[in-house]
Amino acid sequence: MTPVGSIRVGDQEHVASQYAATEPLRGRMSVWGPGPQGLDPTKVLLDALIERSPRRILEIGCGTGAFAKRVVDAIPNVNYLATDASAAMVAAASALGLNAEVRTAQATGQAAGSIDAVIAAWMLYHVPSLDAALGEIRRVLRPEGALFAVTNGELHLATLFADAGVDPPLSSFTSETGQAILHRHFGLVARTDIRTTATFQDHSSAAAYLGTIDPSWAAALPAFEGVRQDYGYTTVFIATEPHPTGR
């Protein structure tokens, strides 16, 4: 089958259409579970935050606010600001009782050196300029602060994309490239690599998942019977020792 075409996940028109409503994101999130290691990336991320127990947290790209709600419930008296460039996502987060604002990664609106932890989960590949976003994150972090960034690897869902005959979405921030990129802005970068599993109950659910990325992909997946599972590859990065702003 000839590939249908490539999508660059940082294309701003595509990003705006992907997150104009919450349903596509909720649909993608719903299929994921732990892989052979038994690890859930969001649980790994949550545990790392609880261990550091930051008092002021800024999340950029908060999505529906589901993860932010888990953090607020887990860390008493935390000052948590959930931000997203999508008004629909901010509305969903606000509906959970969270403090949420429409902001971009390049302009968070926070004072310099005021944040203990910044969360950027599955979103740095969406920004138009990685260095501009990471520079802003460095600016708002305290010297002892940390960036918690989550992204996917280049083989993420590779079997599903191959069977559909589509090229995997092109990403500027992956498991393979993320550590070197973060080192441009932070002195220390730790990583946890996690294999996850996407479970599709039938062909229509797998096709629908592809359709949330590009509507033309929904019809590209050949028919199959029964339940299908595909692997995901995810990395949780924790970056500390932010370089002084202006470096």
Side-chain angles (χ1 to χ4, degrees):
M1 182 179 294
T2 303
V4 174
S6 297
I7 290 174
R8 184 171 294 279
V9 293
D11 177 85
Q12 294 306 288
E13 183 176 347
H14 183 254
V15 172
S17 66
Q18 283 277 291
Y19 298 99
T22 61
E23 288 78 9
L25 177 59
R26 293 184 195 277
R28 289 194 296 274
M29 292 168 57
S30 69
V31 307
W32 288 103
Q37 302 160 285
L39 296 178
D40 175 353
T42 59
K43 180 65 164 55
V44 170
L45 179 59
L46 179 61
D47 288 347
L49 280 162
I50 292 173
E51 183 178 357
R52 289 186 69 95
S53 192
R55 306 317 309 155
R56 292 199 66 192
I57 299 177
L58 169 67
E59 183 176 6
I60 54 176
C62 67
T64 63
F67 182 73
K69 185 66 166 62
R70 292 174 66 183
V71 177
V72 169
D73 289 344
I75 303 178
N77 302 315
V78 67
N79 183 333
Y80 197 110
L81 176 61
T83 69
D84 202 289
S86 163
M89 298 300 170
V90 168
S94 297
L96 295 176
L98 299 166
N99 181 23
E101 297 178 1
V102 176
R103 298 280 185 178
T104 68
Q106 294 87 351
T108 65
Q110 305 308 298
S114 64
I115 303 296
D116 296 310
V118 173
I119 301 169
W122 291 282
M123 65 77 54
L124 284 174
Y125 42 61
H126 287 314
V127 301
S129 170
L130 269 170
D131 284 315
L134 290 169
E136 172 68 355
I137 290 168
R138 282 169 39 218
R139 185 187 70 80
V140 303
L141 275 174
R142 292 178 175 148
E144 67 278 12
L147 165 64
F148 296 78
V150 186
T151 194
N152 297 325
E154 293 170 5
L155 294 178
H156 189 74
L157 279 183
T159 51
L160 180 65
F161 294 133
D163 286 353
V166 299
D167 292 332
L170 301 173
S171 175
S172 60
F173 186 80
T174 66
S175 298
E176 293 79 7
T177 65
Q179 193 156 11
I181 291 169
L182 291 173
H183 267 306
R184 298 203 295 255
H185 297 268
F186 293 86
L188 291 177
V189 181
R191 64 184 295 156
T192 303
D193 296 310
I194 302 165
R195 197 174 181 186
T196 55
T197 303
T199 301
F200 303 102
Q201 296 302 318
D202 51 29
H203 174 267
S204 63
S205 64
Y209 184 100
L210 289 169
T212 67
I213 302 172
D214 186 303
S216 69
W217 289 9
L221 184 67
F224 64 85
E225 298 294 331
V227 176
R228 172 186 178 125
Q229 289 189 320
D230 295 270
Y231 286 119
Y233 298 86
T234 296
T235 300
V236 177
F237 290 109
I238 302 177
T240 54
E241 298 186 7
H243 298 327
T245 301
R247 172 170 168 172

